[in-house]
Amino acid sequence: MNYAIYAISTGKIESLQYEDRRPMESALNKKPIQEKMWLSRTGFVEDEQEYKDHGGPEKAVCLYSKAHYAMWQDVIDPLPDSALFGENITVYAIDETKLFFGDQYRLGDAIIEVSEIREPCWKLQSKYGYPRLVKEMSKSGKTGCYFRVIKEGFVSPNSQLSLIKHAPESTRLSVQELNDIYYNDRKNKERIANALNNPYLTVKRKSVLEKMLSKATTNN
C-alpha cells in the first residue's frame, strides 16, 4: 500500500508570539524540504525540537493527514497548505483507524515504524487562537501519530509512504483505538488491558496505561 505525500517538512526552534500571548520557543512553523535529507534515529537532520516531550528516538517523525485539514477550515484562517500542526509528514489521505502500532513503512531509503500517539499541546491553541483546539482534536482521535526510525536513510521531497510490514493481528492496536481509550474512555479496564498487550508501545506509554489501569481498578 502506497500513500502519496503532500509535503515533508522540517523547522528550527524560534521564539514565537501570537497576539498578546506569552512568547514561546517552538519549531512549530515547519517548511517543506526542497532537497533530499538524512533521516536519523532521532529525526530529520534539519528538524529541531524544543523540549523533552517532542522528538527523540520514539517520536522521531510526526505525521498528520491532509484529509483532516477540512476539520479546521472554519476555525483556522488562513489554513496552511502543509505542516498545519507542525507535522513532518503531511500525507494526502491516511486515517488513524488504519495506522497500527508496529506497522512499518518505507520512506525514501529509510524505514519507519508507528510508535506513539500525538498529544496536542497548548502551543497549537496559542498559534491559532482557538481555545477548544486541543480538546476537539484529542476527542476526535484525529491527532496524527509518531514514528520511530528502524533504518536510517535519505528522504526526498517526492518520496512516498509505503506500507511494507503489518503488525501481528493478534495484538494489533490502531492509533484511533489508543486515542479513544486515552482521551475518552480512561476507566475501561478491558480496553486498557488489551492495549497493554501491544509490544510496540513506548515504555512511557505503557507506564501511563499501567497507571490508568491501576486507577480504574481501584475506583471500581
Side-chain angles (χ1 to χ4, degrees):
M1 179 71 72
N2 295 323
Y3 297 93
I5 292 175
Y6 183 81
I8 298 173
S9 306
T10 60
K12 298 291 188 180
I13 297 172
E14 57 186 330
S15 181
L16 304 174
Q17 184 167 11
Y18 298 101
E19 297 182 356
D20 59 349
R21 298 171 180 84
R22 62 187 173 96
M24 61 183 186
E25 298 296 310
S26 177
L28 187 59
N29 290 341
K30 301 186 188 300
K31 302 296 182 184
I33 64 174
Q34 302 300 315
E35 55 188 20
K36 71 177 182 179
M37 186 176 294
W38 184 254
L39 177 58
S40 75
R41 299 282 179 181
T42 54
F44 288 100
V45 293
E46 293 297 324
D47 198 43
E48 294 183 347
Q49 303 296 339
E50 194 273 325
Y51 68 103
K52 63 182 179 64
D53 287 331
H54 291 73
E58 300 287 34
K59 294 182 177 180
V61 178
C62 183
L63 172 146
Y64 190 69
S65 179
K66 193 166 177 63
H68 298 337
Y69 278 37
M71 295 170 55
W72 310 104
Q73 61 187 2
D74 292 334
V75 294
I76 297 177
D77 184 30
L79 199 66
D81 287 334
S82 60
L84 172 62
F85 295 129
E87 71 271 12
N88 299 113
I89 303 174
T90 306
V91 64
Y92 271 103
I94 191 169
D95 193 79
E96 284 74 3
T97 58
K98 302 299 183 183
L99 287 163
F100 298 94
F101 294 98
D103 277 1
Q104 291 186 4
Y105 293 82
R106 186 175 301 281
L107 179 65
D109 296 331
I111 296 175
I112 60 177
E113 180 178 273
V114 180
S115 59
E116 222 353 331
I117 59 174
R118 166 80 181 269
E119 296 183 59
C121 71
W122 64 271
K123 292 185 178 182
L124 302 179
Q125 290 187 166
S126 181
K127 177 176 180 177
Y128 294 116
Y130 182 54
R132 291 181 54 82
L133 193 151
V134 168
K135 184 176 182 179
E136 291 181 7
M137 187 177 180
S138 302
K139 187 174 182 179
S140 73
K142 308 305 180 187
T143 61
C145 69
Y146 288 102
F147 295 81
R148 58 175 66 95
V149 176
I150 302 300
K151 176 180 177 288
E152 299 179 329
F154 282 105
V155 178
S156 299
N158 61 352
S159 293
Q160 286 190 325
L161 194 65
S162 302
L163 179 64
I164 59 173
K165 183 180 178 181
H166 253 316
E169 190 170 355
S170 59
T171 56
R172 194 166 291 170
L173 178 69
S174 72
V175 171
Q176 183 75 38
E177 173 75 3
L178 186 54
N179 272 339
D180 192 51
I181 295 169
Y182 185 67
Y183 293 116
N184 304 317
D185 201 14
R186 298 174 67 92
K187 297 181 180 180
N188 193 315
K189 294 182 293 182
E190 290 74 21
R191 292 182 77 192
I192 298 171
N194 182 65
L196 279 166
N197 288 328
N198 188 278
Y200 300 99
L201 297 182
T202 65
V203 171
K204 182 176 181 179
R205 184 58 51 192
K206 285 183 178 180
S207 177
V208 170
L209 290 174
E210 286 167 353
K211 290 176 182 177
M212 284 173 54
L213 182 59
S214 177
K215 186 175 181 179
T217 302
T218 301
N219 290 344
N220 287 341

